[in-house]
Amino acid sequence: MIRRVEKKRARGFSRVLLAGGALLGLSGGQMAYAHPSSPAPAVLLEHVRLFDGTGAPEQDDMAVLVQGPRIVAVGQSGHLTVPEGAKRIDLTGKTLIPGLITDHSHVGVVSGTSVGAENFTVPVIRDALEQYERYGVTTVTALGLTKSPLFDDLRQAQHADGSLGADLFGVDQGIGVQGGMPPEGMVKVGKDQIFRPASVQDARQAVQTMVREHTDLVKLWVDDFRNGVATQKPLPVMKPEIWQAVITEAHAHHVRVAVHIHDLDYGKQLVAAGVDIIAHGVRDRPVDTAFITAMKEKGVWYIPTLSLDEATTLFAEHPEILKDPVLKAGLNADLQKQISDPAWRQKTASSPLAKASHAAVVMNQKNLLTLYKAGVKIGFGTDSGAAPVRIPGFAEHRELRLLVDAGLTPLQALTLATSQAAALLNLSDRGVIAPGKRADFVVLEVDPAENIAAVDQIAAVWRGGVRVAVPLVPR
């Protein structure tokens, strides 16, 4: 279960960020807001096609009544009791969907083309959260490589009514292995952003520290980082006694554990050990009956992150994508310069990792569809923000396309990115359009049911009952 502290010492910058907003508590995944004494004006969004996030068919000519940060009523246009003085917004021809939720991203790791500890700052993180929001991603889970107390304070600030940018949950630090994942030479985060325990006792202490910091989840990295490249020298992999100690200690504190894997064998071992969330898709070979059965019996969640491997080659092999206004909306000038460099594109496209990444996407899609059809619980995430080419917001739109390419319908893909993503986080207050839920939603110019690319045509984003973003691409 996601855990948060109910009362916490206010620190300097969080007091500034929280000015004018109300802190919330989280118990059993249910948000509790402190509302101002006078009720906020009601807003009626009417004559809209509605996808409510539950997986049910869309409904035409619907109305959604919002007051404050909450949805108070949903029904056919003209059939709701509307408070006097409510603002009416006619959305004829448009489609309303819940705000997207990512279960696996990172913040404060990347700025432009740089990767490292120097990027874990409030301005860098807030810029990313506002970019997520512009792309319709209203809740973000940073799955490790964070720094306390900055991350803890920033989560509190983002949970408050009226905050700018996507709401923020995530993992304090995370637990890797000495000399191994995540690779120090590539990620370049500070020692205070990840634990690398050498013993069972160190592992337990790392979990205890994260629990004291009120981490929402615990994160493990169990991977040799070969990424399907046979000639790549493997990195050291976490020993089973270490990961078992982490899982046991976390569960003793009622905190769930997510694990980074690449290969099926490690996935099987970690599921048997009691992990709660597989944080990347299996990419080395097809999943088998034993894995599927174990995932279902233990209720383990699976986050495929299809776009992770696609991003490795996408910009190098398709430079024409630089003309895409949806990409331009989130593209940093430094990264645009890099992508525009023919030498960078040639080096990237001809690397052994490029071929392996193509194979990984295909295998990941095949396994995702197999697990989906088998009834395994599937979440939504991208690993956006962990590398410069995994662009916040844009990566989530690519993920939806890849889910559809894998064999899901557009509405099935959107269900994973809304209600299912919320369910993975044990957040019962979002992910669907229904009375009592958070008023986090996206207004699309066209219907996504026939073409998932409709998610690019954002007319408006609302978070907490407030319109927070203008159209993603000016019309």
Side-chain angles (χ1 to χ4, degrees), residues 274-298:
V275 75
D276 305 284
I277 301 164
I278 298 293
H280 289 290
V282 172
R283 288 161 280 168
D284 65 324
R285 57 193 176 96
V287 294
D288 57 21
T289 301
F291 181 71
I292 296 169
T293 300
M295 292 282 287
K296 292 181 67 175
E297 288 181 349
K298 293 177 177 288

Side-chain angles (χ1 to χ4, degrees), residues 201-387:
Q201 183 58 31
D202 289 345
R204 291 172 178 158
Q205 289 177 351
V207 172
Q208 291 165 11
T209 297
M210 295 168 71
V211 169
R212 286 196 300 271
E213 294 165 348
H214 308 285
T215 190
D216 293 321
L217 299 162
V218 167
K219 168 75 175 290
L220 286 170
W221 282 265
V222 182
D223 181 14
D224 64 11
F225 202 56
R226 295 177 72 189
N227 292 319
V229 180
T231 57
Q232 179 72 29
K233 181 181 179 180
L235 294 181
V237 179
M238 184 179 293
K239 296 177 180 178
E241 58 265 30
I242 299 294
W243 77 52
Q244 188 64 72
V246 169
I247 294 168
T248 300
E249 187 68 25
H251 288 176
H253 294 279
H254 309 291
V255 179
R256 295 180 299 153
V257 180
V259 61
H260 166 118
I261 57 101
H262 181 282
D263 297 347
L264 179 60
D265 284 345
Y266 286 125
K268 286 183 173 181
Q269 292 179 60
L270 270 297
V271 171
V275 75
D276 305 284
I277 301 164
I278 298 293
H280 289 290
V282 172
R283 288 161 280 168
D284 65 324
R285 57 193 176 96
V287 294
D288 57 21
T289 301
F291 181 71
I292 296 169
T293 300
M295 292 282 287
K296 292 181 67 175
E297 288 181 349
K298 293 177 177 288
V300 179
W301 283 90
Y302 186 89
I303 310 172
T305 65
L306 303 171
S307 60
L308 182 160
D309 291 291
E310 186 204 44
T312 301
T313 61
L314 177 64
F315 304 109
E317 296 177 346
H318 298 281
E320 70 278 3
I321 201 171
L322 284 170
K323 299 177 183 179
D324 183 357
V326 178
L327 171 62
K328 288 181 178 180
L331 189 61
N332 178 277
D334 290 339
L335 184 56
Q336 180 170 344
K337 181 179 179 181
Q338 176 178 282
I339 294 171
S340 301
D341 181 5
W344 176 87
R345 295 201 302 266
Q346 195 279 329
K347 180 180 179 181
T348 300
S350 61
S351 70
L353 183 59
K355 182 178 180 180
S357 296
H358 283 295
V361 172
V362 173
M363 183 59 67
N364 203 352
Q365 288 179 308
K366 179 179 179 179
N367 285 335
L368 172 275
L369 187 60
T370 298
L371 293 166
Y372 182 88
K373 289 181 175 179
V376 171
K377 297 190 293 186
I378 310 294
F380 181 82
T382 63
D383 208 29
S384 55

Side-chain angles (χ1 to χ4, degrees), residues 11 23 210 259 367 385 429 442:
R11 298 178 176 93
L23 280 175
M210 295 168 71
V259 61
N367 285 335
D429 69 334
V442 184

Side-chain angles (χ1 to χ4, degrees), residues 8 11 13 106-109 116-125 142-156 168-175 187-195 209-210 213-215 221:
K8 193 170 184 181
R11 298 178 176 93
F13 86 88
H106 293 274
V107 297
V109 177
E118 69 277 7
N119 297 322
F120 206 86
T121 66
V122 172
V124 169
I125 296 171
L143 218 54
L145 305 177
T146 60
K147 183 185 299 184
S148 298
L150 189 156
F151 183 62
D152 310 318
D153 284 343
L154 190 53
R155 273 183 293 174
Q156 290 239 35
L168 181 62
F169 296 88
V171 172
D172 282 283
Q173 294 97 11
I175 299 174
V187 179
K188 301 177 183 177
V189 296
K191 294 185 182 298
D192 55 350
Q193 290 178 250
I194 187 168
F195 296 107
T209 297
M210 295 168 71
E213 294 165 348
H214 308 285
T215 190
W221 282 265

Side-chain angles (χ1 to χ4, degrees), residues 393-409:
F394 180 79
E396 283 65 35
H397 287 216
R398 293 298 306 180
E399 186 77 12
L400 288 167
R401 281 175 166 79
L402 291 169
L403 288 168
V404 172
D405 289 344
L408 274 61
T409 69

Side-chain angles (χ1 to χ4, degrees), residues 15-135:
R15 285 196 296 269
V16 175
L17 294 176
L18 289 168
L23 280 175
L24 62 94
L26 178 59
S27 175
Q30 181 64 48
M31 298 294 189
Y33 288 85
H35 296 294
S37 55
S38 58
V43 178
L44 181 71
L45 299 101
E46 55 186 340
H47 305 301
V48 69
R49 179 179 293 107
L50 177 66
F51 170 69
D52 66 8
T54 66
E58 293 176 316
Q59 301 174 77
D60 290 325
D61 197 24
M62 296 294 289
V64 178
L65 181 64
V66 174
Q67 189 155 26
R70 298 281 167 161
I71 297 168
V72 296
V74 178
Q76 286 288 321
S77 294
H79 292 269
L80 294 183
T81 300
V82 182
E84 185 177 350
K87 180 180 179 181
R88 292 177 178 265
I89 300 176
D90 189 335
L91 295 179
T92 299
K94 294 179 172 56
T95 301
L96 189 146
I97 67 173
L100 305 180
I101 298 170
T102 171
D103 295 319
H104 187 169
S105 294
H106 293 274
V107 297
V109 177
V110 172
S111 180
T113 57
S114 74
V115 179
E118 69 277 7
N119 297 322
F120 206 86
T121 66
V122 172
V124 169
I125 296 171
R126 290 295 295 272
D127 282 350
L129 294 175
E130 291 179 24
Q131 179 163 310
Y132 277 115
E133 192 175 67
R134 290 196 298 275
Y135 279 89

